Each structure stands twice: as structure tokens, then as C-alpha cells.
Amino acid sequence: MRKEILALNKIAIGYDKKPIQTALSFKLEKGEALGVVGPNGSGKTTLFKTILGVIPPLDGEITFAGKQVKTTIDRNWARSSIGYVPQGRNRGKLPLTVEEMVLLGRWGSHFSCFRRPGTDDWSKTQEALEIMDLTNLKKRDCRNLSGGEYQRAVIARALAREASLLLLDEPTTFLDLQSRQEFITLLTDLRKELGLSILIVSHHREELENLTDRVLLLEREKRGALL
Amino acid sequence: MKIVEFLRIPLFQRAMLGAFLAGSTLSLLGVVVVTANLTTIRFALMHLALLGGAVALAFKLPLLAGALGGIMVASLILGPWAERFKIDPGMMSAYLMTGSLGFAFILFYRAGVPAMEVFSLFTGGLLLLNLNDLFVLLFLGVVVLFVFWAFYYEIELFLYDQEMAEALGVPIRLLQTGLIFLTGLAIGVAMRVVGALMVDAIIVIPALTALSFARGLKEGLIFTSLFGVIASVGGLFLSMGADLPVGASITVSAVALLAIVNLLKNKLNFRRRS
């Protein structure tokens, strides 16, 4: 029997006490991939922010690796095992090498304020760069990477965190067709090789069919349904 | 008078030390101003300092204390309050800039506050620095260095991608408010060093120059500090050697550095392409 990594039980998500989704329940097992689809405003990103503990759930329970997530300490603990991959639109004005960006993935789980990165942090960073075939680009400014290279670097950042769950929020939106296909193949391989659990939002249903085991459909002001 | 002779005079020694401290430490906050889009906010902070100064004089309190009080209130308004009431900090800055000036002029008129005394906040000068000013500069410089040392990775995450920083658990609102407050203090002190109209020469231009070619935050901070020192100390020497106003010499040095670095960068890029 596969181990349960994440369980949402009758969760309500939203901002300022206004729910976007209510009574949302699903489970994700270790090594399983779940796709999330839904129109704009249906709460896909809010769902991710709730799982990450950025915003608290309005109701219901979240369980991570068998432990109920209630307090700030619980949220920080759960977050330390989650790798988040945003759309890849924000490259910022700050110059940052690929290596530094990947190292930052370990913030909050392995180092933080007053606890500087150690040799282990740097070696895990190099490992993640090697897995993602980015070693030769590690000194390059992130702003000068192509869309596909940048998304690989962001995945490397999640791997450096030693995450057991990847949350990917429309990761292929800004990629061309070829890069999109390569990215999905890469995720499929990673899932098999590292046993990662994946929760992915995408507008491209065909991508989800290739990568995921199940799909969660979110609709505005309706209960989410597993397809 | 030769430059060496100038340096025997305590007034110039204090100016040199002040230029070094401001150039090497306060300039680091320019990296935050440039990368976190706080360029409008810095004007709002200066205007609130003016209103704070006017309020202080109306209640017979020290001018500088009022200005710093104004900066504290402004950092609160631009940080957590802007967040709570969902107002864009840029929009809030626009309100504050015009609103604070209006209120300050009402105070000048109604409370008989001497406007020129308040506006003296805007007219600083390295040659006017006394020992107390140097201690304030040293203290603030140490605080700035400590903040960048202790929260280096949090600041890096915040400046690089706020969405990511939030997802990893960085307390970005607290960090933003702290950085705005520190930037406000640095602006307040820099106004005393070079005058308000030339604050950018110390706070913004060295960072702009460094970030145009730096490959990471560490490189960015090191070169910002270096350019800050070159511009402020070099500007001071220029003013002594060529008998020019100090603030203007520092500003011209900073702008010249920016132009030289950009020219070199373009030339190198051109060579690489061809």
C-alpha cells in the first residue's frame, strides 16, 4: 500500500472569509500525480497557497504525511517538504546565478536567518543541477536563460529542497510546444526515478493526461470533482 | 591649497569619514530601492520627513526627531497599512507626496512654523557634519551591514521573486516594512550628507551602476559599496581640487561612474557580438 502524502478533508479556501471553494476533499499518495484544471477564478492558485500555508484554510483539515497541519510550526514543517514551481514569468530585476537560485530552494528547510548554508546545502545544490543537466549553466544569470532552461532551474530548486511533493502552478504557460513536451517528459521521468508526488495546474488537458493519474476539476462556487 | 593640506583640517577629516561611511554602507540600500521598485516611495519618505519636521517645530521639538518620526510613520503607511487596505504602495506614495506637502504648508501658515528652517532638512552638506552626525552615520551603517549579513538570503529571495519567497515561508511583509523603514532612515541621513536633491547620488546611482553588470546579489552589494565610496570620496576630492560644491561634485562623480561602466559594458558586449 502506498503512503499518503497529502490529504484535504472538506476544506474551504478563499480570501477575507469569502470562500472560493468549499468542502474540497482529495488524497494524494506518494509517487502519485494529480492534475488540477478549472477556469480562472476557480481557486487553483488559492488551493496551492493554502497547501503551502501562505493563507489559512477557511474550514476543514489538511494532513501532510499523516500529520494534521494546524499551527504555524506544522505549516513550516509541511512546507519544508514541498517544492513550489510558479509559472516562470517573474525573473525580477535582481541578477542571480542559476546556482544561487537553486540554493535558495533550501531556505526554510535546511537554512534560514542566522543559519547560513553549509557544505551539505551546496552539495545538494550541485546534485540538483546535475540531475537537471544545468551544471554548465550554473554561473549564468537566470534572466538570460531560455524559458525551458529556466523551468528546469526552478525544478532543480525544488529538488535541492529535497521535496517529496511538487506543486506546479501552470509551469508550461510561457513555453513553446517543443519545450512544453520536453518539460512534461522530464517531470514524468523524475516522478518515476525519485518517487515524487506531483500536484500540477495546467490549461493543457493533454499534458495532464500524459503525466497524471487523476485530474481534479475545480469550478467556480462548486465542489471540486475528481475525474 | 593642496589636497594634503585640506586633509589636515578636522572639518575635511570629518567630511572624508562621513563620505566613506555613507558611500560604503547607505548605498547598499540602493540595491533594495532599485530592484524592489521603491523609487517613488523614496520621494514619499522625503516628503513625510518634511511634514514631520514641520510638526516637530510647531510643537517646539527637535527638527531631526520630527523628520525621523515622519519617516517611521511613512514606512508604516507604505508597508503594512498599504497591504491591509489593499492600496498599491506606488499609489500610496503619490497620495503621501502631495498630501504631506499640502499639510506642511498649512502648518507653516497656521502655526507660524519657519518654512526655511524645515527646508534646511533638504540642504545638507558633508562639510557641515559634526561628531554627532558621524556617530549617527556609523550607527546606521553598522545596522545596514548587520541587516544585509543576517538576512542576506531572505533579502535575496524577497528581491528576486516575492511569490517564491512567500511560498518558502519568508515573512515578506515584515521584511518589506523593515527595509522601507531602513531606507527611510538612510535617506534622512543622506539628506544631511549631500542634501535632499542629491540623495540619489549616494542611495540609487551606485546600485544602478553595480547592478548593470553584477552576476549576483553578493557581487551587486560589493560593487555598490565600492562605487558608493568612489563617488562620495572621489567627489569630495574633486570638490577640493577643483573648488566645486561638494554635493554637486559627488553627484557628478556618481553619474560619471554610471556612464563609464555602461559605456564599457556596451563596448564589451559589442566586441563579444562581433
Side-chain angles (χ1 to χ4, degrees):
Chain A
M1 198 179 126
R2 286 204 288 187
K3 204 175 147 193
E4 182 186 285
I5 189 103
L6 176 74
L8 270 65
N9 184 20
K10 291 182 181 166
I11 205 112
I13 56 170
Y15 294 92
D16 301 328
K17 295 179 184 168
K18 288 176 197 150
I20 302 170
Q21 287 286 333
T22 53
L24 185 63
S25 299
F26 67 85
K27 285 179 181 173
L28 188 69
E29 293 179 339
K30 187 169 168 29
E32 193 186 8
L34 177 69
V36 183
V37 290
N40 289 339
S42 60
K44 301 185 295 290
T45 302
T46 312
L47 173 66
F48 276 15
K49 285 190 172 181
T50 309
I51 294 170
L52 282 162
V54 174
I55 53 169
L58 303 177
D59 197 12
E61 285 173 6
I62 297 179
T63 310
F64 188 83
K67 188 180 172 189
Q68 204 177 325
V69 181
K70 278 180 178 173
T71 62
T72 308
I73 295 170
D74 298 337
R75 276 193 284 275
N76 287 340
W77 165 78
R79 195 189 277 135
S80 68
S81 300
I82 300 175
Y84 175 58
V85 179
Q87 288 182 355
R89 193 174 35 191
N90 298 335
R91 303 274 180 105
K93 281 186 180 178
L94 185 73
L96 199 65
T97 61
V98 174
E99 189 180 35
E100 278 180 296
M101 199 263 266
V102 173
L103 175 75
L104 287 177
R106 291 178 72 79
W107 191 93
S109 61
H110 299 85
F111 70 90
S112 58
C113 318
F114 301 110
R115 219 171 76 210
R116 304 291 86 184
T119 44
D120 190 41
D121 296 302
W122 286 105
S123 67
K124 290 289 176 194
T125 300
Q126 301 310 321
E127 254 176 54
L129 286 166
E130 268 172 42
I131 292 172
M132 299 311 292
D133 198 18
L134 287 167
T135 309
N136 56 335
L137 297 178
K138 69 178 183 182
K139 294 293 174 200
R140 185 164 311 168
D141 189 329
C142 284
R143 294 171 301 179
N144 298 331
L145 295 178
S146 70
E149 288 167 343
Y150 185 75
Q151 284 308 69
R152 266 164 49 211
V154 179
I155 295 279
R157 183 169 66 188
L159 295 183
R161 195 170 179 79
E162 297 176 78
S164 48
L165 169 64
L166 287 191
L167 299 186
L168 301 110
D169 191 0
E170 299 180 34
T172 57
T173 303
F174 295 97
L175 300 184
D176 57 43
L177 185 63
Q178 195 193 334
S179 305
R180 243 170 42 209
Q181 284 165 345
E182 284 171 4
F183 188 74
I184 292 300
T185 309
L186 178 80
L187 278 178
T188 313
D189 293 346
L190 279 178
R191 190 190 148 197
K192 277 184 201 155
E193 285 166 24
L194 305 175
L196 289 171
S197 308
I198 292 174
L199 202 55
I200 177 170
V201 169
S202 177
H203 284 304
H204 305 282
R205 288 289 287 270
E206 71 284 0
E207 277 177 9
L208 296 180
E209 277 161 21
N210 292 336
L211 173 69
T212 60
D213 303 302
R214 292 176 296 157
V215 173
L216 174 72
L217 174 67
L218 295 181
E219 288 187 86
R220 272 185 221 136
E221 293 162 14
K222 277 189 184 175
R223 197 174 293 182
L226 282 167
L227 301 177
Chain B
M1 204 171 176
K2 285 179 185 168
I3 286 177
V4 184
E5 288 163 5
F6 273 115
L7 293 178
R8 290 200 188 102
I9 304 168
L11 179 133
F12 281 100
Q13 289 168 352
R14 286 197 298 274
M16 187 69 76
L17 190 57
F20 177 79
L21 286 172
S24 59
T25 59
L26 302 190
S27 60
L28 297 177
L29 288 161
V31 174
V32 176
V33 172
V34 172
T35 49
N37 263 342
L38 299 181
T39 37
T40 328
I41 286 177
R42 78 189 194 283
F43 283 120
L45 291 168
M46 282 157 66
H47 283 75
L48 257 286
L50 182 92
L51 178 59
V55 172
L57 287 191
F59 288 97
K60 312 259 184 270
L61 294 168
L63 179 66
L64 197 60
L68 292 180
I71 286 168
M72 277 175 75
V73 172
S75 351
L76 268 178
I77 294 172
L78 294 166
W81 290 353
E83 171 67 20
R84 179 174 293 180
F85 300 111
K86 302 204 182 314
I87 302 173
D88 172 56
M91 174 71 81
M92 188 70 107
S93 303
Y95 277 120
L96 288 182
M97 275 193 283
T98 39
S100 57
L101 263 189
F103 282 118
F105 275 89
I106 289 172
L107 269 178
F108 295 157
Y109 179 72
R110 285 282 181 183
V113 172
M116 287 319 288
E117 200 174 328
V118 180
F119 275 105
S120 72
L121 276 172
F122 284 1
T123 53
L126 271 176
L127 300 177
L128 303 173
L129 291 181
N130 56 36
L131 266 181
N132 282 344
D133 294 327
L134 284 180
F135 278 122
V136 171
L137 251 177
L138 180 65
F139 176 73
L140 191 57
V142 170
V143 170
V144 170
L145 288 177
F146 174 76
V147 165
F148 275 99
W149 171 78
F151 306 108
Y152 175 83
Y153 290 100
E154 293 71 26
I155 293 172
E156 192 173 46
L157 264 165
F158 169 75
L159 296 179
Y160 182 67
D161 184 349
Q162 289 191 19
E163 187 190 0
M164 188 65 214
E166 199 173 33
L168 290 175
V170 177
I172 58 167
R173 303 292 159 230
L174 190 67
L175 194 59
Q176 185 183 31
T177 306
L179 287 173
I180 290 176
F181 178 60
L182 204 55
T183 305
L185 286 183
I187 286 170
V189 173
M191 285 189 329
R192 177 91 180 125
V193 177
V194 283
L197 297 176
M198 289 179 258
V199 153
D200 281 357
I202 283 185
I203 304 280
V204 177
I205 297 179
L208 263 182
T209 313
L211 292 176
S212 66
F213 68 88
R215 282 184 308 172
L217 180 60
K218 200 173 283 172
E219 259 187 45
L221 291 174
I222 291 169
F223 281 106
T224 296
S225 187
L226 183 70
F227 291 141
V229 170
I230 294 174
S232 51
V233 178
L236 185 63
F237 274 114
L238 176 70
S239 81
M240 287 190 276
D243 189 22
L244 294 168
V246 178
S249 302
I250 290 174
T251 308
V252 167
S253 305
V255 171
L257 257 177
L258 177 64
I260 291 167
V261 166
N262 274 323
L263 270 174
L264 284 174
K265 193 181 137 195
N266 288 342
K267 204 166 185 178
L268 277 174
N269 285 344
F270 179 73
R271 271 195 194 162
R272 266 185 214 144
R273 277 200 297 271
S274 57

